[in-house]
Amino acid sequence: MAAAKASVFNTVSDSYVNFFSVLKLEPVLELDETLLETKFRQQQSLFHPDRFVKASPEEKSRAAVQASLINDAYTSLKSKLTRAQHLLLLAGEDVIVHQQHELLPEDLLQQMQWREKLELAVQLQGDHAEQSIENLQKEVVNSMQNQWEQFAPALKKDLPLARQLFFRLQFSAKLLQEIRKVEDKLLD
């Protein structure tokens, strides 16, 4: 039994961790959510505390670390945006932190225009505000769909473009959250 546990623990590495490997999945952008859930449950069951009741303190500690890693992998891969970020990291593109100079001028201009539209929509009253916010939301969602369509091929062929698209997607996702908050306030 100890040999089986030791081989399972070999998936933990001191270097950067591939979350797809942790969950025994292929590294792909479009991931079947049911498969992700199944793989998560399978891996999590291997490190459940009940399996380590009689284990040494070291084995219990390693099991807890592995369980935490499995949770991190699941959380990261569940969201398409963080999955894209992870794929870029695996490809050698660190997109966790970006500098302002990395953003293209047209991206900055688009961000400013959308923010202005949101601010103007907040100032409107009643149906006008709701319609303005709904239009902005549709515009951002359409833009994101276009960016996603470009992202997958860029990830395979043009990492600098994939990086730029990721930053656009990241901004768009954040703006959509802000739009939804404004919507919620208007509906109250």
Side-chain angles (χ1 to χ4, degrees):
M1 184 74 169
K5 287 182 186 174
S7 66
V8 173
F9 284 116
N10 290 339
T11 60
V12 178
S13 169
D14 290 336
S15 63
Y16 184 73
V17 177
N18 179 334
F19 287 151
F20 291 98
S21 293
V22 169
L23 296 178
K24 311 293 188 236
L25 292 165
E26 291 296 317
V28 293
L29 180 62
E30 297 301 329
L31 194 57
D32 180 303
E33 290 183 26
T34 303
L35 178 62
L36 174 63
E37 184 76 25
T38 299
K39 293 291 191 170
F40 168 69
R41 298 277 177 229
Q42 287 172 349
Q43 292 303 308
Q44 197 64 339
S45 71
L46 294 173
F47 298 95
H48 193 277
D50 290 347
R51 294 186 76 153
F52 294 87
V53 171
K54 295 182 180 180
S56 70
E58 294 82 17
E59 286 179 314
K60 287 179 181 179
S61 176
R62 289 174 65 193
V65 167
Q66 187 68 19
S68 177
L69 180 63
I70 291 165
N71 286 334
D72 290 347
Y74 176 72
T75 301
S76 180
L77 298 181
K78 190 171 181 175
S79 159
K80 190 172 181 178
L81 189 62
T82 54
R83 189 178 327 127
Q85 179 183 43
H86 190 66
L87 285 166
L88 282 165
L89 288 169
L90 292 176
E93 290 291 323
D94 184 357
V95 290
I96 293 175
V97 177
H98 67 274
Q99 304 298 321
Q100 197 68 18
H101 72 274
E102 291 182 279
L103 301 176
L104 298 176
E106 57 267 24
D107 292 341
L108 294 172
L109 180 61
Q110 180 66 72
Q111 290 177 17
M112 287 178 10
Q113 289 172 343
W114 280 343
R115 292 231 176 260
E116 286 175 7
K117 285 182 180 182
L118 183 58
E119 287 176 21
L120 289 172
V122 168
Q123 295 171 9
L124 296 173
Q125 299 294 317
D127 292 342
H128 296 294
E130 289 177 29
Q131 187 62 48
S132 182
I133 289 171
E134 185 178 317
N135 291 341
L136 176 59
Q137 187 172 20
K138 285 179 184 176
E139 186 178 341
V140 174
V141 166
N142 288 338
S143 176
M144 285 183 77
Q145 288 172 340
N146 182 34
Q147 292 161 9
W148 278 120
E149 289 170 8
Q150 295 175 51
F151 182 82
L155 187 59
K156 294 176 184 173
K157 298 177 184 174
D158 187 351
L159 286 175
L161 175 59
R163 182 182 179 88
Q164 288 297 321
L165 288 166
F166 175 77
F167 292 146
R168 289 178 197 157
L169 286 161
Q170 196 175 38
F171 170 78
S172 298
K174 184 177 177 185
L175 182 63
L176 275 179
Q177 288 177 340
E178 292 174 29
I179 291 170
R180 288 182 182 124
K181 285 180 185 176
V182 169
E183 256 183 332
D184 289 344
K185 284 182 183 178
L186 288 176
L187 295 174
D188 285 344

